[in-house]
Amino acid sequence: MTPQTDMENGGHPAYWVKSVEKTFSVLLAFSADEPRLTITRAAAKADLSRAAARRFLLTLVDLGYLRMDGSHFELTPRCLDIGASFLANLSLPQIAEPHLKELAVDLNETASLCVLDGAEIVYLARVAAPRLLSVSVNVGTRFPAWATSMGRVLLAGLPERAREEYFASLSLQPFTHHSVSSIDRLRAEVDRAGAQGFSMVSQELDDGLRGVAVPVRRGNDLIAAINVSLQTHRVPEDEIARTVVPQLIQAAQSIADDFGGRRAAAS
């Protein structure tokens, strides 16, 4: 059933509450580019008269959603309460997916999110490159952690004792002739991933493919890793740290922020 509209209410449905619309127009007037607004500027951005904007701003101050600093107003942390319930019900894969999609489009490569489960990585989200019609790896797929870029990033984040216990229990079974063939070499690669903040694994799991991964951290906690899978002929290896890794780091930070990373860093 289509709600009846009221032409005297701007063509909106009859139930439309104009003051609610105006309240959110004032709140949304604040942005990263303009976090502090005067009454005049807020009125212009919210398309309100100066007198109306003043009433809305002062009411929002009384409610705790804005604070005053001289002639300027700015948002308070209480504004986070508006989206808190929504964010609390989002899972990590749901939060990561739009960022993975953006990464896949920007790089034209497949992007994935994984976590460590025992000695294996588990894919929680995966977005295929726009140029690919099918993907052989799906959500829920598992691989030995040691043979993947995401696995090595996640292993590097383990406490030292847990990492050494992992190495002690490991039996390497190479997938290709490029695969790491000794525990000492693997330990060096994991240490390198931890030191440089990313891991690159070239043709160790599958010929012709190179994986590049970075950690996703919420505060001090390592919660996951994201990577892109590159065909070896598409991006020269010596350009990856300059061209691919920064975009991965930015995507990982965005995922962490949306998953509560800003709150964890502030606490």
Side-chain angles (χ1 to χ4, degrees), residues 43-60:
K45 294 192 70 176
D47 194 22
L48 296 171
S49 69
R50 190 180 186 281
R54 179 179 180 275
R55 291 196 301 272
F56 279 97
L57 289 166
L58 292 176
T59 300
L60 288 166

Side-chain angles (χ1 to χ4, degrees), residues 11-258:
H12 294 299
Y15 58 75
W16 194 268
V17 181
K18 194 70 175 177
S19 59
V20 174
E21 178 187 15
K22 291 179 179 179
T23 299
F24 279 98
S25 69
V26 171
L27 286 172
L28 294 174
F30 295 86
S31 66
D33 292 333
E34 293 185 86
R36 288 163 49 85
L37 299 175
T38 62
I39 294 175
T40 300
R41 183 57 181 153
K45 294 192 70 176
D47 194 22
L48 296 171
S49 69
R50 190 180 186 281
R54 179 179 180 275
R55 291 196 301 272
F56 279 97
L57 289 166
L58 292 176
T59 300
L60 288 166
V61 169
D62 289 346
L63 290 172
Y65 292 100
L66 297 178
R67 68 166 62 94
M68 285 183 63
D69 181 14
S71 62
H72 287 80
F73 295 79
E74 58 187 3
L75 299 175
T76 71
R78 187 168 186 181
C79 289
L80 296 173
D81 293 345
I82 296 173
S85 297
F86 172 74
L87 291 175
N89 290 319
L90 283 180
S91 67
L92 177 58
Q94 288 175 308
I95 288 172
E97 187 169 354
H99 298 291
L100 295 178
K101 286 181 179 177
E102 184 176 354
L103 192 63
V105 169
D106 288 347
L107 294 175
N108 200 22
E109 302 290 353
T110 297
S112 305
L113 173 87
C114 280
V115 294
L116 190 64
D117 184 22
E120 298 175 317
I121 59 165
V122 183
Y123 283 77
L124 298 186
R126 187 168 171 87
V127 177
R131 59 188 165 79
L132 297 181
L133 298 178
S134 62
V135 183
S136 58
V137 177
N138 299 303
V139 171
T141 297
R142 293 171 174 265
F143 286 120
W146 67 268
T148 68
S149 59
M150 284 187 285
R152 291 181 188 177
V153 162
L154 292 167
L155 290 171
L158 289 176
E160 183 176 357
R161 180 175 178 179
R163 191 165 63 246
E164 289 305 316
E165 288 176 352
Y166 169 83
F167 289 137
S169 65
L170 191 60
S171 176
L172 296 177
Q173 297 180 343
F175 289 89
T176 73
H177 70 279
H178 296 284
S179 298
V180 166
S181 57
S182 74
I183 299 297
D184 287 343
R185 168 81 184 283
L186 175 62
R187 182 183 282 106
E189 289 297 324
V190 170
D191 289 345
R192 180 182 180 188
Q196 66 185 9
F198 72 92
S199 173
M200 181 165 58
V201 173
S202 185
Q203 303 189 85
E204 293 191 39
L205 188 63
D206 197 359
D207 285 320
L209 288 180
R210 179 181 293 127
V212 187
V214 301
V216 179
R217 296 184 180 277
R218 182 169 58 182
N220 294 323
D221 297 328
L222 176 60
I223 58 174
I226 62 170
N227 95 325
V228 288
S229 300
L230 311 167
Q231 294 182 348
T232 53
H233 68 274
R234 286 181 58 81
V235 182
E237 185 172 344
D238 57 1
E239 292 185 12
I240 288 175
R242 178 177 61 84
T243 61
V244 176
V245 171
Q247 293 190 66
L248 272 169
I249 291 173
Q250 180 58 56
Q253 185 62 59
S254 296
I255 292 169
D257 287 346
D258 288 352

